[in-house]
Amino acid sequence: MSGKLGVPNYGPMERIVVALAGNPNSGKSSLFNLLTGARQHVANYPGVTVEKKQGVCRYQDHEIVVVDLPGTYSLTAYSMEELVARRFVLEDKPDVVVDVVDASNVERNLYLGTQLIEMAPPLVFAFNMADLAKRRGLVFDLEQLSRLLETRIVPTVASKGEGRAALLEAILRTAQEGRKARIHTVQYGDEIEEQITRIEGVVREWEKGLAERYGSRWLAVKLLEQDEEILAQVGRPEVLDVVDKSVRHLRGLFRDEPEIVMADRRYGFISGACQETIKNSVERRHDASDTIDAVVTNRVLGLPIFLLLMYAVFWATFALGEYPMKGLEWLFGWLTAAVSGLWPVGSESWLRSLLVDGVIAGVGGVVVFLPNILLLFLAIALLEDTGYMARAAFVMDRLMYKIGLHGKSFIPMLIGFGCSVPAIMATRILENRRNRLTTILVIPLMSCGARLTIYSLLIPAFFALHWRGPVMWSIYLIGILLAVICAKLLRVTIFQGETMPFVMELPPYRVPTPRSVLIHMWQRGWMFLKKAGTVILGISIVLWVLASFPKPDARDLAGLDETQARQVAMSHSVMGRVGHLIEPAIQPLGFDWKIGTALIGSLAAKEVFVSQLSIVYAVHSQDSSDVLSAKLRASYTPLVGFCILLFCLISAPCVATLAITRQEAGSWRWAAFQFLGLTALAYGVTLVVFQLGRIWL
Ligand code: GDP
Ligand code: MG
């Protein structure tokens, strides 16, 4: 029977459900859009917060329902995404599964492919990014590969809309053929195959239901791999007993987990199949990548290379950033003078004070960091786009895994030593939300650049020369230690859940395109500017009001010079009063109202602590910092000095950090949690140190 246009008609099937599987970034979403014209319905998979995208298209009188599965590298039971994808294929039994393969990276993508083959659904491979593969000089013998994989292969270029008709055609044909009876594509070698056959026998006997639902071979493979989800479904001790014996037998034979040996066999199969059917007519890029990787992910050399590169990035950020930063400082200086000049000399105007001391000083103090931030993001974009970042994460993973974080978390934490704001933005490289939130929450414990201004004032003021280095070092170290402890605590309490064993995908090295690098950099920089323009502007005005009103009587100021007048005004203002108000609360830490006032000011930006102190201590702005140091030394003991350092390190992050936390975590609740948690931690730690110090010193 023939269809309208002479195309064969595949029978009465009306509605075909197609599931799109594939590695992240293989072009799944693009292909989804190509098939469905982006008409989609988004919901969650039942019971989990993994997004389920669904769309419909018509093809030759068939209604084709396309479901976009979560992007995964594998189909183990280790992550929610993998479980969701696997369950959909097994339980919902779509009519066809399309595995979207990045054709420029077939070997890595086919790991998922072989696992799908083993599940034996009606399967089609879409070799997407065929354009990229061609440009790389890859030549495929698709006919042969299709035979080896026992599966149809259709080349597509989803981003340019090529291959739609051929793919739909293949989907129809495959849907009509239905499930394959037996799949023996990947062979695991005599010893393992023997155990598979043995287990297949017992499951067919004792677990008929499961064997019918999943296929006995797949079931046996998963049981040998000790897959938790599948093991949990097997009730018969007869089966578990045989599985246990088989696993122990293989473990003894290979001196390794069967799961690992089997993964190796799959890789071996893929590697062999690719070698036979894919030729590289240009250079051996893959080999070049491997050679570089042998060095940069080396057990011994990996870490030093990474640290050196990071050092270079920070050095470049601050060294090169200094010139444009000077320019911006000059610009804001000029703006200050220009705005001040609008009023006659010596006249008092609240509007001038608001503009100069509030708006320009507040926003300017943050915007001057823009060059640093742009440079830092440029460097990160470069490292990401070349493919090095994945290696860095790989190198750091063994350490980070111990505190329950992903290797990639290390990068934002490192950036945190510069500034928490870009650091928190950089957590976007983390895909797992729990990981990301944990990292965001502890980032402020990394001593940022603004805190350095506090350290450089207080440490020389209270400590003799030979103590300064160790004190500074200990402050940084305490921050790191607390971050590690907090991260671990968060991971075992509110962010409990799977810490995935790290399946590291090492993409081949690439020469980054200037366009994508610049766009990356600019997008992040623009977000930062928007923040300065809105939140920081607002907060600066609020703080200015708090520090300026109510004004003292003119009588109280009579006979005082300008600096003394500012001191009296500060003490009289809301901020000064709040400082007095909280004095009883901070006295157990060794602090008085003056420090309290400065701490409140430091909420706006940590460096404000220093300028606030110079106001409450009536130090002329043109005096050198030695004057302030001397006054501090006369007022407090070194123990109090150390406690101030501690408190500034740990306590409430600045407003910009809180605002960015809200934005990136998606709710004020997380910002509030961060604020309260860190402040409480600071209070606790400082209290213990001060009280113990008082007894012992
Ligand atoms: P997903 O993570 O699998 O959903 O992948 P996306 O559909 O988001 O695609 C990732 C990137 O690859 C996007 O920038 C796409 O524009 C691009 N892309 C998708 N398909 C192709 C293709 O066939 N060729 C090329 N050159 N790029 C593609
Ligand atoms: Mg996608």
Side-chain angles (χ1 to χ4, degrees), residues 203-340:
V203 292
R204 274 205 219 103
E205 185 175 347
W206 298 101
E207 291 282 3
K208 270 208 184 65
L210 282 182
E212 249 160 55
R213 181 136 56 113
Y214 297 144
S216 57
R217 181 173 170 91
W218 188 80
L219 201 56
V221 166
K222 287 295 135 182
L223 288 172
L224 270 185
E225 287 180 330
Q226 300 278 286
D227 185 285
E228 277 177 28
E229 205 199 25
I230 300 302
L231 275 175
Q233 294 182 46
V234 173
R236 306 297 303 211
E238 291 88 345
V239 176
L240 291 175
D241 204 42
V242 171
V243 171
D244 208 45
K245 280 202 191 101
S246 293
V247 168
R248 262 184 290 141
H249 170 72
L250 292 176
R251 223 182 256 150
L253 210 59
F254 294 108
R255 308 202 164 279
D256 218 336
E257 290 303 315
E259 184 186 358
I260 295 183
V261 182
M262 292 163 85
D264 280 348
R265 291 277 149 83
R266 280 193 202 110
Y267 279 122
F269 166 78
I270 296 166
S271 175
C274 289
Q275 219 135 51
E276 268 182 59
T277 55
I278 305 176
K279 300 277 174 288
N280 194 331
S281 65
V282 195
E283 91 252 60
R284 297 286 293 159
R285 187 184 289 266
H286 190 73
D287 282 351
S289 273
D290 285 350
T291 317
I292 302 172
D293 279 346
V295 180
V296 301
T297 63
N298 182 283
R299 260 169 182 271
V300 184
L301 292 175
L303 196 58
I305 290 176
F306 172 60
L307 292 178
L308 216 68
L309 257 173
M310 277 298 150
Y311 183 82
V313 166
F314 282 115
W315 177 83
T317 303
F318 289 101
L320 298 179
E322 202 172 309
Y323 304 100
M325 195 167 170
K326 286 249 161 63
L328 281 176
E329 274 172 352
W330 177 86
L331 190 73
F332 282 104
W334 175 83
L335 205 60
T336 304
V339 171
S340 300

Side-chain angles (χ1 to χ4, degrees), residues 28-29 53 68:
K28 244 161 22 70
S29 297
K53 255 196 331 189
D68 195 9

Side-chain angles (χ1 to χ4, degrees), residues 65-173:
V65 179
V66 186
V67 179
D68 195 9
L69 298 178
T72 61
Y73 296 109
S74 176
L75 288 174
T76 55
Y78 288 127
S79 85
M80 203 29 87
E81 283 75 13
E82 293 185 16
L83 268 180
V84 163
R86 178 166 113 179
R87 277 186 198 147
F88 192 86
V89 174
L90 289 173
E91 318 284 348
D92 292 52
K93 295 207 193 309
D95 299 305
V96 180
V97 175
V98 174
D99 181 11
V100 185
V101 168
D102 173 357
S104 68
N105 205 351
V106 172
E107 262 196 72
R108 288 190 174 98
N109 277 247
L110 273 186
Y111 189 68
L112 176 69
T114 52
Q115 294 196 310
L116 284 169
I117 291 172
E118 289 184 312
M119 286 160 75
L123 182 66
V124 176
F125 284 118
F127 271 32
N128 193 39
M129 312 231 180
D131 55 334
L132 266 186
K134 194 168 168 197
R135 221 179 309 148
R136 297 238 171 100
L138 297 173
V139 181
F140 297 90
D141 181 352
L142 284 187
E143 220 170 289
Q144 172 71 355
L145 189 56
S146 166
R147 246 193 315 271
L148 290 174
L149 300 175
E150 302 178 68
T151 309
R152 285 198 176 79
I153 303 177
V154 182
T156 59
V157 184
S159 56
K160 295 197 195 111
E162 291 168 21
R164 183 174 189 268
L167 183 59
L168 284 167
E169 193 62 33
I171 288 173
L172 276 194
R173 279 172 189 260

Side-chain angles (χ1 to χ4, degrees), residues 580-593:
H580 280 291
L581 198 71
I582 63 170
E583 191 168 40
I586 56 178
Q587 227 153 24
L589 313 181
F591 302 168
D592 58 11
W593 75 271

